[in-house]
Amino acid sequence: MKHSPDLHGNAPDKSPLILLLIDVINDFEFEGAEALFANALPVAHKIAALKERASRAGVPVIYVNDNFGKWRSDFRNLVTHCIDDDTRGRPIVEMLKPARADYFVLKPKQSGFYSTTLDLLLQHFGATQLIMTGFTGDICVLFTAVEAHLRDYQLLIPADCVTSQNARENEQVLKYMERVLEADIRASNEIELSASELRSVPAA
Amino acid sequence: MKHSPDLHGNAPDKSPLILLLIDVINDFEFEGAEALFANALPVAHKIAALKERASRAGVPVIYVNDNFGKWRSDFRNLVTHCIDDDTRGRPIVEMLKPARADYFVLKPKQSGFYSTTLDLLLQHFGATQLIMTGFTGDICVLFTAVEAHLRDYQLLIPADCVTSQNARENEQVLKYMERVLEADIRASNEIELSASELRSVPAA
Amino acid sequence: MKHSPDLHGNAPDKSPLILLLIDVINDFEFEGAEALFANALPVAHKIAALKERASRAGVPVIYVNDNFGKWRSDFRNLVTHCIDDDTRGRPIVEMLKPARADYFVLKPKQSGFYSTTLDLLLQHFGATQLIMTGFTGDICVLFTAVEAHLRDYQLLIPADCVTSQNARENEQVLKYMERVLEADIRASNEIELSASELRSVPAA
Amino acid sequence: MKHSPDLHGNAPDKSPLILLLIDVINDFEFEGAEALFANALPVAHKIAALKERASRAGVPVIYVNDNFGKWRSDFRNLVTHCIDDDTRGRPIVEMLKPARADYFVLKPKQSGFYSTTLDLLLQHFGATQLIMTGFTGDICVLFTAVEAHLRDYQLLIPADCVTSQNARENEQVLKYMERVLEADIRASNEIELSASELRSVPAA
């Protein structure tokens, strides 16, 4: 309706650094989900700790999530479904439940950038550096990281905050992202966060 | 996570014809909204009647709406805000309240296609023809129609289901969309809808 | 192959202001082209003068042009075809022949932004302000201007450097771009250009 | 200017199957190119043979290439530069020189889809299946394959028509594309091509 140079309804937040949680809101009720869930649970603890630190440091958090609610229900409904319907994913979703201040972007496909508003949202934050976490490392995280690298975002993909169905494939994809996408894959507790600015521990 | 050739979470609906409601969920609490609301109220009645007929005919309805909730709240929350906070827009929002079966796409800017999942959603419906309705004709409807025409969608933009701040400018933009975008601008009651297929009254 | 944060092969040019020439390389051999050519010839003189001033001031020039060469031939070939085959468009193409330093973007549809590299090229220039010129005002110029406005570029669309098949429709579309897209439509000789920076004559 | 539902200037060709040659037109004059060239030369012979068969079968060929000519020069000029300036890449470029009937898309970044007209061109061909070949497997081929998979194209990536700086990494990325992108990586001589239609040898 009335238009300003801002995103319609965008928050005025500015931050060069953004934390992305990819596909963490999931009921884990699909075929093969049991094995993935076993890998994902300890990783979710790491993501939760990193998210807590990011929030304290004023680093905005964006949930980038499959919309398995069919473009008819909302992100908050996905959360409610995973918890209230007592799905396998419930312990992870409870641990990583979005706060009121968190942002979210629903994605129709594997990559967080494909046919979504993510890039525009990041531009309005003035983001230059993304911390990527979530599941699965070799599919949605890699696809999103490839498209982020195309757009010249610097990437931090902490190795302990990403998992896949298969541990060896997860390891390989992390190495690929380090080599080709120039991602920093240091462990999450080696990322130093402070007031909307990243001061990372220098690589040895 | 698990991926099929479908949109993640997309409904299996197929329909060559789709009804779009553009920016109808609005609190009309911005500057200059009073005049626009006066134009929009009778138009909302027409849209409501068309939507009712579309739903009965099995034509999917997509709300394409500004996200004035800052990418933190959901579309359903926008609806609740407009009604429960007793905003100026309440009568229109009550009339055009989305049903559970309706789809929605939140847009960050004027065009429904820019940085949204709309095009992909339409492709998965197999849509070739769009009925566009809503506010305002000379901004969000035109921008969305221009981008729809670029993508070769056929357009029906019923003149009685579109309005703008200024009646003459609304008239001009409708003529423009008819001439350049090859839109059919016949009145909504001259559009014949039936079971997921458009059988329009031939132009005289 | 080898990748830097730059566009592959992009020139290192930086400029907040860019001059766009839209669809000026044309053979004018389609139906109805005779009338348009009559309107376009005097406008081409104005564009040529503005281009000459832009080049002297270090403002990069981008040709944004239909690729009527079928994605098999090159932009330079289009130029050659228009001139060597002695087409109706020859006098305009000779006047507006690209220099070696000029850039070009081939577009598959009416808008210069749709499925092209234009936006990325503009981002790498650091462009914030675009001067748009060319044919036709009510189709390719408007479509490109709408998509530029969505991306928050400031627009200068000098009224004497744009034309359409019909003079009254051209006038209307210029007024629309002034009102809705906030374009400055002052005449080209009232735009003051100097060394990669716009110092425009203040509006009365 | 005049607009039809077709791509402006697009050829009328229709084909469900397309052969892509990624970054084969290269002068190999960058750092580290010597080792890559050694890997690429025998692969270029395989690509040339496949291209010859594709052309005979009526399968359109699209060159998807870095524009190291800075958006000022044309694709044909890139070819000329590589050959006439007697660059290291000359033997490969002579072998894979585009024919008049071939298409090309210049890409500004690693992926053939990012900020290019490739997807629209493929849509207008009615393409559903892509054969991808070229250099390097672990960067531009993978990036392009990821974005092709997002768009639901079926992929054939013959293992003998793709190479990278490092043989083991090339092997890994081929396995990744087979596993996650569901690419068929059979050798090029096991792909049966005939008149615009793929009849591939069934997998054992």
Side-chain angles (χ1 to χ4, degrees):
Chain A
M1 318 288 277
K2 210 62 204 325
H3 300 292
S4 66
D6 300 326
L7 286 192
H8 291 185
N10 184 38
D13 298 331
K14 290 285 168 191
S15 175
L17 177 66
I18 306 284
L19 174 60
L20 301 186
L21 273 63
I22 298 173
D23 278 343
V24 300
I25 304 302
N26 196 289
D27 60 13
F28 284 89
E29 295 288 356
F30 52 89
E31 205 189 304
E34 198 161 357
L36 179 60
F37 179 77
N39 294 344
L41 190 58
V43 168
H45 280 279
K46 299 285 191 176
I47 298 175
L50 183 61
K51 190 197 161 195
E52 169 63 23
R53 291 172 55 215
S55 296
R56 267 188 284 124
V59 173
V61 175
I62 306 178
Y63 287 76
V64 180
N65 216 90
D66 270 13
N67 184 8
F68 53 98
K70 298 170 190 290
W71 301 100
R72 283 165 162 161
S73 53
D74 282 315
F75 179 61
R76 308 283 173 190
N77 288 350
L78 301 186
V79 176
T80 306
H81 155 66
C82 292
I83 295 176
D84 290 4
D85 296 351
D86 203 17
T87 67
R88 182 183 286 124
R90 181 178 166 175
I92 287 176
V93 175
E94 283 181 330
M95 205 183 317
L96 294 174
K97 211 176 145 172
R100 283 186 72 85
D102 296 336
Y103 295 83
F104 54 86
V105 166
L106 295 174
K107 65 185 174 69
K109 289 284 202 168
Q110 299 95 324
S111 166
F113 287 94
Y114 182 59
S115 291
T116 75
T117 196
L118 180 59
D119 197 25
L120 195 57
L121 189 57
L122 293 174
Q123 284 175 34
H124 280 260
F125 274 118
T128 55
Q129 207 168 20
L130 307 178
I131 308 176
M132 291 197 178
T133 66
F135 329 127
T136 70
D138 60 343
I139 306 180
C140 293
V141 175
L142 176 63
F143 279 46
T144 305
V146 161
E147 292 218 58
H149 184 67
L150 280 171
R151 288 160 176 81
D152 298 326
Y153 293 105
Q154 287 185 294
L155 300 178
L156 285 107
I157 309 178
D160 59 334
C161 290
V162 160
T163 197
S164 303
Q165 204 90 21
N166 178 292
R168 201 176 53 88
E169 286 159 0
N170 197 59
E171 190 65 27
Q172 271 186 8
V173 89
L174 280 164
K175 284 210 160 63
Y176 176 85
M177 296 192 289
E178 187 179 35
R179 179 174 66 85
V180 173
L181 311 185
E182 294 160 43
D184 184 336
I185 64 168
R186 76 182 62 196
S188 56
N189 61 9
E190 290 173 36
I191 297 174
E192 194 182 323
L193 296 166
S194 64
S196 213
E197 191 188 37
L198 182 77
R199 290 205 294 271
S200 56
V201 178
Chain B
M1 319 288 277
K2 214 55 208 323
H3 299 293
S4 65
D6 299 327
L7 285 193
H8 290 185
N10 185 39
D13 299 329
K14 289 283 169 193
S15 175
L17 176 66
I18 306 284
L19 173 61
L20 302 185
L21 272 62
I22 298 174
D23 279 341
V24 300
I25 304 303
N26 196 290
D27 60 13
F28 284 89
E29 294 288 355
F30 52 88
E31 207 190 302
E34 197 162 356
L36 179 60
F37 179 78
N39 293 344
L41 190 57
V43 168
H45 280 279
K46 298 287 190 173
I47 298 174
L50 183 61
K51 190 196 160 195
E52 169 63 25
R53 292 171 53 214
S55 297
R56 266 187 285 124
V59 173
V61 174
I62 305 177
Y63 287 76
V64 179
N65 215 91
D66 270 12
N67 184 8
F68 54 99
K70 299 169 189 292
W71 300 99
R72 283 165 163 161
S73 54
D74 281 316
F75 180 61
R76 307 284 175 190
N77 288 349
L78 301 186
V79 175
T80 307
H81 155 67
C82 291
I83 294 176
D84 291 3
D85 296 351
D86 202 17
T87 67
R88 182 183 285 125
R90 181 177 167 175
I92 287 175
V93 174
E94 283 181 330
M95 206 183 316
L96 294 175
K97 214 177 144 171
R100 283 186 72 87
D102 296 335
Y103 296 83
F104 54 85
V105 167
L106 294 175
K107 67 186 172 70
K109 289 284 204 169
Q110 298 93 324
S111 166
F113 287 94
Y114 181 59
S115 290
T116 74
T117 197
L118 180 59
D119 197 25
L120 196 57
L121 189 57
L122 293 174
Q123 285 175 34
H124 280 260
F125 274 117
T128 55
Q129 207 168 23
L130 308 178
I131 309 178
M132 291 197 179
T133 66
F135 328 127
T136 66
D138 59 345
I139 305 182
C140 293
V141 174
L142 177 63
F143 279 47
T144 305
V146 160
E147 292 218 58
H149 184 65
L150 280 170
R151 288 160 176 80
D152 297 326
Y153 292 105
Q154 287 186 296
L155 301 178
L156 285 106
I157 308 177
D160 59 333
C161 290
V162 161
T163 195
S164 303
Q165 203 90 21
N166 177 294
R168 202 176 52 90
E169 285 159 1
N170 196 60
E171 190 65 25
Q172 272 186 7
V173 89
L174 281 164
K175 286 212 156 65
Y176 176 86
M177 296 192 291
E178 187 179 35
R179 180 174 66 87
V180 173
L181 311 184
E182 294 160 42
D184 184 334
I185 63 167
R186 75 181 65 193
S188 55
N189 61 9
E190 290 173 36
I191 297 172
E192 194 182 324
L193 297 165
S194 64
S196 213
E197 190 188 40
L198 183 76
R199 291 207 294 271
S200 56
V201 179
Chain C
M1 317 287 277
K2 211 63 206 325
H3 299 294
S4 66
D6 300 325
L7 286 193
H8 291 186
N10 185 37
D13 298 330
K14 289 284 169 190
S15 174
L17 177 66
I18 306 284
L19 174 61
L20 302 185
L21 272 62
I22 299 173
D23 279 343
V24 299
I25 305 302
N26 196 290
D27 61 13
F28 284 89
E29 295 288 355
F30 52 88
E31 204 189 306
E34 196 161 359
L36 179 60
F37 179 78
N39 293 344
L41 189 59
V43 168
H45 280 280
K46 298 286 191 174
I47 298 175
L50 182 61
K51 191 197 160 195
E52 168 64 24
R53 291 172 54 213
S55 297
R56 266 187 284 125
V59 173
V61 175
I62 305 177
Y63 287 76
V64 180
N65 215 89
D66 271 13
N67 184 8
F68 54 99
K70 298 170 189 293
W71 301 100
R72 283 167 162 160
S73 53
D74 281 315
F75 180 60
R76 307 285 174 188
N77 289 349
L78 300 187
V79 175
T80 306
H81 155 66
C82 292
I83 294 177
D84 291 3
D85 296 351
D86 203 16
T87 67
R88 182 183 286 124
R90 181 177 167 176
I92 287 176
V93 175
E94 284 182 329
M95 206 182 319
L96 294 174
K97 213 176 146 172
R100 283 186 72 85
D102 296 335
Y103 296 83
F104 55 84
V105 167
L106 294 175
K107 65 186 176 68
K109 289 283 203 169
Q110 299 93 326
S111 167
F113 287 94
Y114 181 60
S115 289
T116 75
T117 199
L118 180 60
D119 198 25
L120 195 56
L121 188 57
L122 293 174
Q123 284 175 36
H124 280 260
F125 275 118
T128 55
Q129 208 169 20
L130 308 177
I131 308 177
M132 291 196 178
T133 65
F135 328 127
T136 67
D138 60 343
I139 306 181
C140 293
V141 175
L142 177 64
F143 278 46
T144 305
V146 160
E147 291 218 61
H149 184 67
L150 280 170
R151 288 159 176 82
D152 298 326
Y153 293 105
Q154 286 185 296
L155 301 177
L156 284 106
I157 308 177
D160 59 333
C161 291
V162 161
T163 196
S164 302
Q165 202 90 22
N166 176 293
R168 201 175 55 88
E169 286 159 0
N170 196 60
E171 189 65 27
Q172 272 186 9
V173 89
L174 280 165
K175 284 211 159 65
Y176 176 85
M177 296 193 289
E178 186 179 38
R179 180 173 66 84
V180 173
L181 310 184
E182 294 159 43
D184 184 336
I185 64 167
R186 75 181 63 194
S188 56
N189 62 8
E190 290 174 36
I191 298 174
E192 194 182 324
L193 296 165
S194 64
S196 215
E197 192 188 37
L198 182 78
R199 290 206 296 271
S200 57
V201 179
Chain D
M1 319 287 277
K2 213 58 206 326
H3 299 294
S4 66
D6 299 326
L7 285 194
H8 289 185
N10 185 38
D13 298 332
K14 289 284 169 192
S15 175
L17 176 66
I18 307 284
L19 173 61
L20 301 186
L21 272 61
I22 299 174
D23 279 342
V24 299
I25 304 302
N26 197 290
D27 59 14
F28 285 89
E29 294 289 355
F30 53 88
E31 205 190 304
E34 197 160 357
L36 179 61
F37 180 78
N39 293 343
L41 190 58
V43 168
H45 280 280
K46 298 286 190 174
I47 298 174
L50 183 60
K51 192 197 158 193
E52 169 63 25
R53 291 173 54 216
S55 296
R56 265 187 285 123
V59 173
V61 175
I62 305 178
Y63 287 76
V64 179
N65 216 90
D66 270 13
N67 184 8
F68 52 100
K70 299 170 189 291
W71 300 100
R72 283 166 162 161
S73 52
D74 281 316
F75 180 61
R76 307 283 175 190
N77 288 348
L78 301 186
V79 176
T80 306
H81 154 66
C82 293
I83 294 177
D84 292 2
D85 297 350
D86 201 17
T87 67
R88 182 183 285 123
R90 182 177 164 174
I92 288 176
V93 175
E94 283 181 330
M95 207 184 313
L96 295 174
K97 214 176 144 172
R100 283 187 72 85
D102 296 335
Y103 295 83
F104 55 86
V105 167
L106 294 175
K107 66 185 174 68
K109 290 284 204 172
Q110 298 93 325
S111 166
F113 287 93
Y114 181 59
S115 290
T116 74
T117 197
L118 180 60
D119 197 25
L120 195 58
L121 189 58
L122 293 173
Q123 284 175 35
H124 280 260
F125 275 117
T128 55
Q129 209 169 20
L130 308 178
I131 308 177
M132 290 196 182
T133 66
F135 329 125
T136 67
D138 61 344
I139 305 182
C140 293
V141 174
L142 176 64
F143 279 47
T144 305
V146 161
E147 292 218 60
H149 184 66
L150 281 170
R151 289 161 175 80
D152 298 326
Y153 293 105
Q154 287 185 296
L155 300 178
L156 285 107
I157 310 178
D160 58 335
C161 291
V162 161
T163 196
S164 303
Q165 202 91 23
N166 177 294
R168 202 176 52 88
E169 285 160 0
N170 196 60
E171 190 64 27
Q172 272 186 9
V173 89
L174 280 164
K175 285 212 159 62
Y176 176 86
M177 296 193 290
E178 186 178 37
R179 181 175 64 86
V180 174
L181 310 184
E182 295 159 42
D184 185 335
I185 63 166
R186 76 181 62 195
S188 55
N189 61 9
E190 290 174 36
I191 297 173
E192 194 183 324
L193 296 165
S194 64
S196 212
E197 190 188 38
L198 182 78
R199 289 205 296 271
S200 56
V201 178

